[in-house]
Amino acid sequence: MKATDAALRLARQAERAGATPRELDAVLALLEHLGGLHPDHERLAQHAIRLYQAAGRHDAARHTYTRLTRHLTELGIEPEPATQALIAPHTRTRQMR
């Protein structure tokens, strides 16, 4: 739990401070690792999605969302509206093209 809390703090800081590409990659690697250990942890996924989008890596953001959704579905729940909203604008833009 402490590692997850620390990763969430780092992710928030990276989102606010406009992290360098190297720092962004390091935070994303940490989020991915912890996401593998806790695949249903929405906060980890939310930060990863936002950071991937900020880096222009929309496919990776979508993959993170899909993986989270799959694991939550296995538990009989769906992503929070805040999580769904992170992907929805990008999905609609793609569908309009």
Side-chain angles (χ1 to χ4, degrees):
M1 234 21 213
K2 287 183 182 184
T4 301
D5 290 343
L8 292 172
R9 282 192 301 276
L10 286 172
R12 280 191 294 274
Q13 183 179 6
E15 287 177 39
R16 286 189 209 125
T20 67
R22 186 176 179 185
E23 292 167 335
L24 192 59
D25 286 344
V27 172
L28 282 167
L30 180 58
L31 291 173
E32 283 294 325
H33 176 74
L34 290 170
L37 297 172
H38 306 286
D40 58 342
H41 195 296
E42 264 191 270
R43 297 296 176 260
L44 290 172
Q46 288 173 348
H47 284 290
I49 291 167
R50 282 193 294 269
L51 290 172
Y52 278 132
Q53 289 171 340
R57 297 172 62 188
H58 299 287
D59 286 343
R62 184 77 179 146
H63 174 76
T64 300
Y65 178 79
T66 301
R67 186 179 61 218
L68 172 68
T69 302
R70 185 175 57 243
H71 288 286
L72 291 177
T73 298
E74 291 173 3
L75 297 172
I77 55 178
E78 58 184 57
E80 297 173 358
T83 306
Q84 294 174 17
L86 292 173
I87 294 295
H90 299 286
T91 302
R92 275 187 244 128
T93 301
R94 256 195 200 153
Q95 290 173 351
M96 294 176 152
R97 290 183 187 171

